[in-house]
Amino acid sequence: MSGTERRRGGGRYPVAAAMELTTDLGPESIPGEFWGEHTSPVARALLSSAVQCFARKGFHATTTRDITAVVGLSPGSLYVHFASKEAVLFHIARTGHERALAVLAAQQDDGDARSHVRRLVAGHVSWHARHHTVARVCQYELAALAPEHLGEVLDLRQQFSAMLRTAVERGAREGVFDVPDIDRAVRAILSLGIDLVRWYRLDGADSPEALGESYAELAARMLGAPSPTGEGPG
């Protein structure tokens, strides 16, 4: 790989695009419970510090000293809680994907395919907006994971696609959606919700919920099912 390129999810893109990911991350904070009740307070602090470091500098440019300095610990203290820096990244990526997937799984299916898809999209988008820094690491640093860890995360990612695809397929069968290629439509809709982590700020014009509603409307139109004016995501 040349010095003018950096890996992004197995592909390549110019350094200029990478620098776009390292602008001011805004006021997002990560609650301790995000990391799970069995994660110690020190490990939680290290994970939250690592999120900020990885999002700003990238995994490879971040040192253990960078991560531990934020919480006032020595570099070696990281290994008391994690086997390696890669293990820290894996914990972040797995937890972020699990939290986002839980939001989609919680969206009620009331038998109306259109409203169900809108709720799925709104939940997907609003989660990625509210947790945009964690999501940025989850999306742009996966290539640094060990193969077995990457495989586990990719399995979680497939569940996002399967959940939305099932809802869209049902709507297509019922004549609610008019979409010539369901797989392409699902990839496009999920990609829109993920791409916002490059630029979204919690102190910007749109709240996560407002952005979710807007993207849900866009998704409905992409699927050939525009909703009545003023209708929300379900």
Side-chain angles (χ1 to χ4, degrees):
M1 183 179 302
S2 73
T4 60
E5 294 180 321
R6 176 183 171 191
R7 184 169 296 278
R8 175 188 180 186
R12 297 184 177 189
Y13 67 109
V15 164
M19 292 179 67
E20 184 180 359
L21 302 177
T22 60
T23 54
D24 186 3
L25 298 177
E28 178 191 355
S29 61
I30 305 171
E33 59 268 20
F34 182 93
W35 303 114
E37 61 181 6
H38 299 299
T39 306
S40 71
V42 174
R44 292 177 179 183
L46 289 168
L47 287 164
S48 296
S49 173
V51 166
Q52 297 294 325
C53 292
F54 293 159
R56 286 195 170 95
K57 301 178 65 174
F59 173 83
H60 293 294
T62 296
T63 66
T64 56
R65 184 180 299 277
D66 292 330
I67 297 170
T68 57
V70 174
V71 293
L73 298 173
S74 64
S77 62
L78 182 141
Y79 301 107
V80 174
H81 303 276
F82 300 97
S84 64
K85 188 177 69 165
E86 187 273 344
V88 175
L89 176 61
F90 174 55
H91 195 114
I92 293 168
R94 182 183 60 193
T95 302
H97 281 83
E98 288 174 344
R99 296 287 182 266
L101 189 61
V103 169
L104 267 69
Q107 302 309 310
Q108 181 181 0
D109 181 359
D110 59 1
D112 183 330
R114 184 178 66 181
S115 64
H116 187 211
V117 167
R118 289 175 65 91
R119 279 192 289 271
L120 288 172
V121 174
H124 177 69
V125 169
S126 61
W127 188 92
H128 280 80
R130 185 163 301 283
H131 302 286
H132 60 278
T133 310
V134 173
R136 184 179 300 190
V137 175
C138 289
Q139 297 304 323
Y140 290 102
E141 300 300 329
L142 293 186
L145 290 174
E148 64 275 16
H149 288 162
L150 178 61
E152 186 171 333
V153 172
L154 291 180
D155 286 343
L156 291 171
R157 292 167 76 90
Q158 287 298 318
Q159 294 181 48
F160 286 88
S161 299
M163 197 174 299
L164 182 57
R165 184 184 300 108
T166 297
V168 173
E169 286 175 343
R170 190 186 73 188
R173 288 195 304 270
E174 296 173 354
V176 175
F177 301 137
D178 179 16
V179 53
D181 190 317
I182 291 175
D183 284 338
R184 286 180 179 175
V186 167
R187 284 195 299 269
I189 290 168
L190 291 176
S191 295
L192 283 173
I194 289 170
D195 185 70
L196 64 84
V197 305
R198 293 187 305 107
W199 55 264
Y200 183 77
R201 291 178 56 95
L202 283 171
D203 57 359
D206 291 323
S207 69
E209 292 72 25
L211 204 61
E213 291 181 9
S214 177
Y215 276 48
E217 175 64 18
L218 287 173
R221 293 181 179 275
M222 289 171 64
L223 296 171
S227 63
T229 302
E231 183 178 322

